[in-house]
């Protein structure tokens, strides 16, 4: 009765999953499954820190060195662990993280005490075969004081504790296991490139999810006594360990799909044909499903599914053979690629966003509501003036040009900028002309500006752009020139949220400051922008333009055309979560930029761009210059295909005067802008974002060194 009701519930979930998971793109499907696992586990794979050592004692078994540890994770203290190393001088060797079953005793698994079952000492068996093993006791039995437990199940008590932060217990165990992997990689006896995972029963669930959440390619996994379908294990047999699955997972994947998502990593799954916790028929059909899915994923996969004549157990010989092969000399993992940009919202930020979106949905106020107001208030200190949130950076620019009233007149823009700077002026009815840049601060060249002003007596506005997040000290001369002639200056600060010059933030130098919150910028709201204005009168106009020129929020009266340039509550929710973390993210970028500064001299031919004194750049772009004669496109292609390293996009590789839209209107040739032309041809942008690792930075520099030596 009960179970058939459960089955109907599962049928709904499974139907959802099958419509969304047609295996036409197995690699993409596996990525989606791994991403769902990370979300449901509330784990940020890329940012788990290695466990810390609290206590260490050493000992010996015949033929083995024993190190006993108490380790600490951000969530828990006193995680007991045992490292076993084959005796002899320390040397890097393949290593296995062992996750035992729920009721396993650490001392028995590691051979420190005689095992109660012949297969129980799996860690000792692997170590005797020449592998380094780290066995972690997750403390679900015997970790908490009996007096506090007062008869309750320890896992249930821990489940409650973690649910306060809405993390499932499995997520917390996996996070600790990822921390243990990080710890193991740093052990002097471990070869960090050759690490595998073993788990039995609940430990197999921990190991499986840990393998899925590795940053980069999944690790080799041997999983014992954990195969079947979730609906049967948890819905009908009721033999599934409640800790062993992630709440909500069935919408994305059943257990065989999770194993399949490890493809092409080597995988061994053992199950007992007389295991009383499994149904043989269900296990065999899960095995079949897994076999099919793995075969789809890659031609070079290594999958073994072993139905063995045993109960709820492990076959240590088969496990050992698997690891000796999977972690053998030829088994070097491919290096993690270096993407040009990786936008990462950590678990806490995502929870904040979803909660804020939920708040907006529940309230029914979806645009220009309290979250937009909060976003504007919190952005103000960063932009130095009252902030108006709009739908995009281009909207901010267009509103600024419309408020100034540039229609039918000339707007001067730097020849080296994004198309949107000029296009916004064009949409506001202006004719644009271009100004060369200066190479010290990458701003408008004051001499070139003077010449353009001589050419055009009707200039309605001048735009500057803080390229790469650098506010050029030459802006003082530009503001002086504009002030002397009574011409408003528009700062396109799309790159420069949080940048400063002599302490003053971007957005306070011109009459207007326009910021973009597009995802590639340092601060994002998915889509969005911010506009600052010279004073209260303009603030009022700008707010009216943003909302169809409405005279007042409630009134149906409009005194100018305006448009729909509003920011929604959903976008503000994302922006607020970003804003709260902006300071830390900026410091991370700046520290990473300083690392490049320090090591760039090790790349012959590459020249550093030095940010001028007085400038605090936000680290939006890290610029460097190529030697003459090196073709950037060739270099970038080689970095990508030979090293998996992607450089970030240039700022910019094509001057505005060479954009088809402007050449069709007879724009002057690039040779009229010698500095911008040189800059466009010579600069590159190294990958720089808060989640890039120092190792990835080193790989980027090493790849540049190799390829520049070939090309120079
Ligand atoms: C990104 C960007 C814009 C446009 O911002 P959107 O939010 O995409 O409209 C304008 N100018 C520059 C310099 C930019 O980099």
């Amino acid at each position: 009765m009960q179970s058939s009701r459960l089955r109907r519930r599962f049928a709904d979930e499974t139907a959802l999953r099958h419509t969304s998971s047609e295996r036409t793109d197995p690699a993409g499907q596996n990525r989606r499954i791994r991403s769902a696992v990370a979300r449901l586990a509330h784990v940020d794979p890329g940012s788990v820190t290695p466990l810390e050592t609290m206590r260490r004692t050493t000992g010996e078994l015949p033929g083995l060195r024993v190190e006993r540890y108490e380790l600490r994770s951000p969530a828990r203290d006193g995680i007991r662990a045992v490292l076993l190393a084959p005796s002899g001088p320390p040397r890097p060797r393949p290593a296995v993280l062992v996750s035992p079953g729920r009721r396993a005793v650490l001392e028995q698994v590691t051979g420190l005490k005689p095992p109660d079952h012949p297969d129980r000492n799996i860690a000792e068996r692997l170590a005797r075969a020449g592998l380094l093993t780290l066995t972690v006791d997750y403390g679900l039995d015997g970790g908490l004081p009996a007096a506090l437990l007062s008869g309750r199940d320890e896992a249930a008590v821990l489940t409650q504790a973690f649910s306060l932060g809405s993390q499932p217990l499995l997520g917390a165990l996996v996070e600790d296991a990822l921390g243990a992997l990080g710890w193991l990689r740093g052990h002097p006896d471990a070869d960090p490139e050759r690490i595998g995972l073993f788990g039995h029963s609940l430990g197999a669930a921990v190991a499986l999810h840990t393998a899925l959440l590795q940053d980069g390619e999944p690790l080799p996994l041997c999983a014992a006594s954990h195969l079947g379908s979730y609906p049967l294990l948890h819905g009908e047999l009721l033999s599934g360990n409640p800790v062993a699955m992630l709440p909500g997972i069935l919408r994305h994947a059943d257990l065989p799909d999770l194993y399949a998502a490890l493809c092409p990593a080597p995988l061994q799954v053992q199950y007992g044909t007389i295991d009383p916790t499994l149904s043989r028929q269900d296990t065999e059909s899960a095995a079949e499903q897994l076999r099919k899915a793995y075969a789809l994923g890659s031609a070079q996969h290594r999958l073994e599914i072993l139905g063995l004549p045993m109960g709820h157990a492990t076959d240590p010989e088969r496990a050992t053979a698997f690891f000796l092969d999977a972690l053998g000399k030829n088994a070097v993992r491919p290096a993690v690629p270096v993407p040009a940009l990786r936008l990462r919202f950590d678990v806490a930020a995502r929870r904040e966003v979803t909660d804020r979106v939920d708040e907006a949905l529940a309230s029914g106020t979806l645009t220009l509501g309290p979250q937009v107001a909060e976003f504007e208030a919190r952005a103000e200190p960063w932009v130095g003036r009252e902030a108006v949130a709009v739908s995009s950076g281009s909207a901010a620019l267009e509103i600024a040009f419309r408020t100034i009233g540039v229609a039918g007149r000339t707007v001067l823009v730097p020849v080296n900028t994004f198309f949107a700077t000029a296009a916004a002026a064009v949409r506001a009815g202006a004719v644009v002309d271009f100004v060369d840049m200066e190479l010290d601060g990458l701003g408008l060249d004051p001499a070139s500006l003077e010449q353009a002003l001589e050419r055009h007596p009707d200039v309605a506005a001048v735009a500057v752009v803080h390229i790469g997040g650098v506010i050029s000290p030459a802006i003082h001369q530009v503001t002086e020139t504009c002030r002397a002639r009574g011409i408003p200056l528009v700062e396109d600060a799309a790159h420069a949220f949080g940048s400063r010059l002599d302490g003053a933030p971007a957005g306070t130098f011109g009459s207007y400051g326009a910021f973009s919150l597009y995802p590639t910028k340092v601060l994002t709201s998915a889509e969005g922008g911010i506009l600052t204005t010279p004073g209260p009168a303009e603030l009022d106009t700008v707010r009216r333009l943003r909302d169809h020129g409405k005279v007042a929020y409630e009134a149906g009266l409009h005194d100018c055309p305006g448009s729909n340039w509003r920011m929604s509550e959903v976008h503000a929710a994302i922006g607020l979560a970003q804003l709260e973390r902006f300071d830390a993210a900026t410091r991370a970028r700046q520290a990473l930029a300083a690392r490049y500064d320090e090591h760039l001299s090790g790349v012959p031919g590459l020249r550093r761009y030095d940010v001028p004194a007085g400038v605090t750049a936000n680290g939006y772009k890290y610029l460097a210059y190529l030697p003459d004669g090196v073709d950037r496109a060739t270099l970038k292609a080689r970095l990508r295909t030979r090293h998996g390293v992607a450089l970030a996009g240039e700022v910019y590789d094509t001057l505005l005067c060479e954009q088809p839209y402007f050449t069709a209107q007879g724009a002057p040739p690039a040779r009229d802008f010698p500095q911008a032309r040189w800059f466009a041809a010579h600069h590159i942008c190294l990958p720089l974002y808060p989640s890039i690792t120092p190792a990835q930075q080193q790989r980027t520099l090493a790849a540049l060194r190799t390829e520049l030596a070939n090309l120079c």
Side-chain angles (χ1 to χ4, degrees), residues 31 35 82 87 211 214 259 275 283-284 298 314 365 414 520 537 561 588 677 683:
R31 263 197 310 279
S35 155
V82 172
S87 304
Q214 265 301 284
Y259 280 118
D275 185 338
T283 309
E284 277 167 8
S298 159
T314 296
T365 303
T520 57
R677 193 163 68 137
H683 79 278

Side-chain angles (χ1 to χ4, degrees), residues 391-397 417-421 465-467 492-495 514-521 526-529 620 651-652:
S391 54
S392 70
S394 318
L397 287 166
T417 179
F418 185 52
F419 186 68
T421 318
V465 182
H466 307 308
I467 291 294
D492 180 341
H495 298 187
F515 297 83
S516 166
L517 305 174
Y518 186 69
T520 57
K521 310 293 159 80
E527 294 284 1
Y620 173 54
V651 280
Y652 289 87

